[in-house]
Amino acid sequence: MKNDTLKGQYRINEQIRAKEVRIVSDDIEPKVYPIFQALKMAEERDLDLVEISPNAQPPVCRIIDYSKFLYQLKKRQKEQKAKQVKVNVKEIRFGPQTDDHDYNFKLKHAKGFLEDGDKVKAYVFFKGRSILFKEQGEVLLLRFANDLEDYAKVDQMPILEGKRMTIQLSPKKKDAPKKSATAGAPKPVAPAPKAEKPEKGEE
């Protein structure tokens, strides 16, 4: 279906309405040609006339195999999409006196997020007088980071911003499997045999 969307974006051959077009091609002189001449050149080469810049004056066209043109466009779009890596940041909220059950539940969620490649922003929200427990909140966040050390690295240590104390974690890159200690180690060299002393009378 994506290919169909691309097809609808470009006029080809007799669909092109302009009376003259500018041709850009590897083996044709880049200049303005009457539309009938441009169509004839495409037909002689068993290719298509594809309008790539309809708003130019006159429109710009290429003489190319249309299916090859669409394939190149699709490939370029895939490459651009691959470069645009989207990083999600998942937030996890604690209270300054979160119990163990709630803590472990949120820890499990954080592990799942990190394994999916998401960042985790954990924070303790201090409501009213609970700001007095800010040290307790810091201890909680540091414990959280410590419990996730196999899954994450700390981007930002606990920092107090208004009524929130925040820590930010990024997923660890998965290491390549480690080689065994003996693999690749140089083999021990056998000691050279000692030269025998000549017996008396042989000298």
Side-chain angles (χ1 to χ4, degrees), residues 11-191:
R11 296 191 191 102
I12 64 166
N13 302 326
E14 285 76 15
Q15 294 173 358
I16 300 166
R17 302 186 191 120
K19 291 181 180 178
E20 54 183 22
V21 293
R22 184 180 297 280
I23 301 290
V24 289
S25 191
D26 297 333
D27 60 341
I28 298 170
E29 187 185 348
K31 65 176 189 179
V32 176
Y33 293 89
I35 186 67
F36 70 87
Q37 191 180 347
L39 287 166
K40 190 179 177 185
M41 287 191 293
E43 193 177 346
E44 285 169 354
R45 289 164 175 78
D46 200 21
L47 296 170
D48 301 295
L49 185 68
V50 183
E51 187 182 57
I52 56 172
S53 293
N55 298 325
Q57 295 295 332
V60 179
C61 295
R62 280 187 73 185
I63 291 176
I64 190 172
D65 182 315
Y66 187 46
S67 56
K68 184 182 175 184
F69 172 73
L70 289 177
Y71 171 76
Q72 288 173 347
L73 275 178
K74 202 172 179 185
K75 189 179 175 185
R76 206 174 301 143
Q77 284 180 354
K78 268 188 180 178
E79 286 170 357
Q80 286 173 349
K81 198 173 180 181
K83 286 176 186 174
Q84 295 170 349
V85 180
K86 191 178 179 184
V87 179
N88 292 319
V89 179
K90 303 288 188 180
E91 289 198 347
I92 291 182
R93 171 177 166 163
F94 292 104
Q97 293 175 310
T98 299
D99 62 40
D100 283 347
H101 176 74
D102 192 28
Y103 174 84
N104 290 326
F105 178 75
K106 289 175 178 178
L107 184 69
K108 186 180 173 184
H109 272 284
K111 285 177 182 175
F113 295 145
L114 292 162
E115 284 176 336
D116 290 342
D118 297 325
K119 289 191 174 193
V120 170
K121 190 175 186 178
Y123 66 92
V124 179
F125 185 75
F126 299 102
K127 202 172 177 183
R129 295 189 56 154
S130 67
I131 194 73
L132 298 170
F133 299 102
K134 63 181 179 183
E135 288 82 6
Q136 203 168 321
E138 186 176 4
V139 169
L140 176 69
L141 292 178
L142 290 172
R143 174 191 169 195
F144 185 67
N146 189 58
D147 288 344
L148 291 169
E149 64 178 350
D150 291 338
Y151 300 84
K153 56 178 184 171
V154 178
D155 290 340
Q156 175 193 287
M157 293 299 280
I159 184 170
L160 186 64
E161 298 170 323
K163 293 183 178 181
R164 298 203 323 178
M165 182 174 281
T166 309
I167 193 169
Q168 188 151 309
L169 310 167
S170 285
K172 271 188 179 176
K173 289 181 181 176
K174 290 177 182 175
D175 296 327
K178 291 179 182 178
K179 293 182 180 178
S180 62
T182 54
K187 291 180 181 177
V189 179

